[in-house]
Amino acid sequence: MDEKGKHALVFGASGLIGWGVVDQLLSNYPTQGTFAKVTALVNRPLDVRDSFWPLESPRRPDLQLVSGINLADVTVQSATELLQTKVKGIEDVTHAFYFVYKYEEKPEDEVQVVCGMLECAVGALNRLSPKLEFLVFPSGTKAYGIQIPGGVFQPPYKESMGPLPHAYQKTLNYPFMRAVLQEASMGRQWTWCDIRPDAVIGFVPNGSAFNLTAHWATYLSLYRLIEGPNAKVPFPGSLAGYNSLYNEASANIIARLAIWASLHTAEAGGGQIFNIADQAKPESMRERWPKLAAYFGLEGVSPFEGDQEGEVLKPSEYIKKYQWEAEKLGVKSSPVFKGGFLDSYGFYLDFDRQLSLDKVREAGFEEEVDPNVSWFKAFENFKEAGMIIGC
């Protein structure tokens, strides 16, 4: 390992995207020796043996896993003291990856909490990390209005689109977070960018609030156990949702863009926004769902509608009813704290919402991956972790 390599600091390292960033860094992306040290910050306790990141080796960057980093109830001063006390080598951090999120029932409260956490994080970094070069944070397709029935803009969505109608702007985190970073980076040597995926595919070792992959993996594995091999499983949504076009992003491809961008200041800095997805070609759940179901030995079919719709339990209802069957087999749960919300995914997203990847390609990031492979890899991770039933 090159001792002169860079030091990456990952906030929210046990979350869906943060886990992927640490995983890619420890896998020596983009090349061995680029990063000498990775510091993974988490809130809830996490044993490195349960993280499922690459094992320690002479070729791997050093890993420092730090728990108890809760930015929700701190000030810049207390955040500074917290990081200074807990993070060895905080003064040598060169690249920061910020993937922290806290859900609040009221959107206005969420804006205040989320922006407050970011202010504390970057305020502390400005005091403690004079070698900081780049910071990456994620926004999402709510910036394009996917939460508004029928959408707002005509797809494919481009980074230049916006803003949303004023009534929606005040309940959206991203513009306020961008303002925080714009102010914090002013007059500093570091710069930043904003990466923007739609639905995220990925694995987490200890549960998350909005992980569609874990939700469907638990549902489909249970469905196979209860209903038997080759059973027909309807898509949990509407026919319009089944046919609508989109392009999802794996945590791996998001992580790779984040790392790539952090190392290409000229091409990616200055607060630029970059859409990201596994591939530029949009697809629909009509193409995806049968393949996801087939992984579990099931036949994925079109959604039931009309009178049949009421006969089918939603995924969270099905999981609640039959989870005890998995527990009898010694399967650990993969908690998805907002599973009820994820049940609505195939219903409210019933319009085309594909992203244009033209800008990120022009900047120089050209990597693509088959989304099916991303789903299957995440399923394998959950299975290896004992969090879903093996098929």
Short mmCIF file of all heavy atoms in Angstrom, two decimals, residues 15 37 66 95 109 135 148 151 159 174 187 193 250 331:
data_model
loop_
_atom_site.label_atom_id
_atom_site.label_comp_id
_atom_site.label_asym_id
_atom_site.label_seq_id
_atom_site.Cartn_x
_atom_site.Cartn_y
_atom_site.Cartn_z
N GLY A 15 -25.10 2.85 5.31
CA GLY A 15 -26.29 3.06 4.50
C GLY A 15 -26.14 2.46 3.12
O GLY A 15 -25.08 1.96 2.73
N LYS A 37 -6.05 4.99 2.92
CA LYS A 37 -6.85 4.81 4.13
C LYS A 37 -8.30 5.16 3.86
O LYS A 37 -8.61 6.12 3.15
CB LYS A 37 -6.30 5.69 5.25
CG LYS A 37 -6.97 5.51 6.60
CD LYS A 37 -6.26 6.33 7.67
CE LYS A 37 -6.87 6.11 9.04
NZ LYS A 37 -6.15 6.89 10.09
N VAL A 66 -15.63 3.67 12.53
CA VAL A 66 -15.95 4.49 13.70
C VAL A 66 -17.46 4.56 13.87
O VAL A 66 -18.17 5.06 12.99
CB VAL A 66 -15.37 5.92 13.56
CG1 VAL A 66 -15.69 6.74 14.82
CG2 VAL A 66 -13.88 5.88 13.29
N HIS A 95 -10.55 13.31 0.84
CA HIS A 95 -11.79 13.15 0.08
C HIS A 95 -12.90 12.74 1.04
O HIS A 95 -12.74 11.80 1.83
CB HIS A 95 -11.62 12.09 -1.01
CG HIS A 95 -10.65 12.49 -2.07
ND1 HIS A 95 -9.29 12.56 -1.85
CD2 HIS A 95 -10.84 12.87 -3.36
CE1 HIS A 95 -8.69 12.95 -2.96
NE2 HIS A 95 -9.61 13.14 -3.89
N ASP A 109 -39.56 19.76 8.43
CA ASP A 109 -38.67 19.36 9.52
C ASP A 109 -37.47 18.60 8.98
O ASP A 109 -36.35 18.76 9.45
CB ASP A 109 -39.42 18.48 10.53
CG ASP A 109 -40.49 19.24 11.30
OD1 ASP A 109 -40.44 20.49 11.30
OD2 ASP A 109 -41.38 18.59 11.88
N LEU A 135 -15.62 16.88 -1.99
CA LEU A 135 -16.74 16.28 -1.25
C LEU A 135 -17.84 15.92 -2.24
O LEU A 135 -18.17 16.71 -3.13
CB LEU A 135 -17.26 17.23 -0.19
CG LEU A 135 -18.38 16.68 0.73
CD1 LEU A 135 -18.23 17.22 2.15
CD2 LEU A 135 -19.78 17.04 0.20
N ILE A 148 -44.43 14.09 -7.54
CA ILE A 148 -45.64 14.79 -7.96
C ILE A 148 -46.39 13.90 -8.94
O ILE A 148 -45.81 13.46 -9.94
CB ILE A 148 -45.28 16.14 -8.61
CG1 ILE A 148 -44.48 17.00 -7.61
CG2 ILE A 148 -46.53 16.88 -9.07
CD1 ILE A 148 -43.88 18.25 -8.22
N GLY A 151 -45.58 13.40 -12.67
CA GLY A 151 -44.30 14.05 -12.97
C GLY A 151 -44.48 15.51 -13.37
O GLY A 151 -45.59 16.03 -13.44
N GLU A 159 -29.92 17.32 -16.16
CA GLU A 159 -29.48 18.08 -14.99
C GLU A 159 -29.87 19.55 -15.06
O GLU A 159 -29.99 20.23 -14.04
CB GLU A 159 -27.97 17.95 -14.82
CG GLU A 159 -27.48 16.56 -14.50
CD GLU A 159 -27.21 15.69 -15.72
OE1 GLU A 159 -27.70 16.05 -16.83
OE2 GLU A 159 -26.52 14.68 -15.58
N TYR A 174 -32.55 19.02 -1.35
CA TYR A 174 -31.37 19.21 -2.19
C TYR A 174 -30.97 20.67 -2.42
O TYR A 174 -29.78 21.00 -2.30
CB TYR A 174 -31.54 18.51 -3.54
CG TYR A 174 -32.15 17.14 -3.47
CD1 TYR A 174 -33.11 16.73 -4.39
CD2 TYR A 174 -31.76 16.22 -2.48
CE1 TYR A 174 -33.66 15.46 -4.33
CE2 TYR A 174 -32.32 14.96 -2.42
CZ TYR A 174 -33.28 14.59 -3.35
OH TYR A 174 -33.83 13.34 -3.29
N GLY A 187 -14.05 30.14 -0.95
CA GLY A 187 -12.72 30.56 -0.51
C GLY A 187 -11.83 29.44 -0.04
O GLY A 187 -10.73 29.68 0.45
N CYS A 193 -19.41 18.00 -5.74
CA CYS A 193 -20.41 17.73 -6.77
C CYS A 193 -21.59 16.98 -6.17
O CYS A 193 -21.54 16.51 -5.02
CB CYS A 193 -19.81 16.95 -7.95
SG CYS A 193 -19.59 15.18 -7.65
N SER A 250 -27.24 0.98 -9.37
CA SER A 250 -26.73 0.18 -8.27
C SER A 250 -25.86 1.05 -7.37
O SER A 250 -25.27 2.04 -7.80
CB SER A 250 -25.91 -0.99 -8.81
OG SER A 250 -24.79 -0.53 -9.55
N VAL A 331 -33.10 -17.72 9.53
CA VAL A 331 -32.78 -16.56 8.67
C VAL A 331 -32.86 -15.29 9.50
O VAL A 331 -33.86 -15.04 10.18
CB VAL A 331 -33.75 -16.48 7.47
CG1 VAL A 331 -33.51 -15.21 6.66
CG2 VAL A 331 -33.59 -17.71 6.59
#
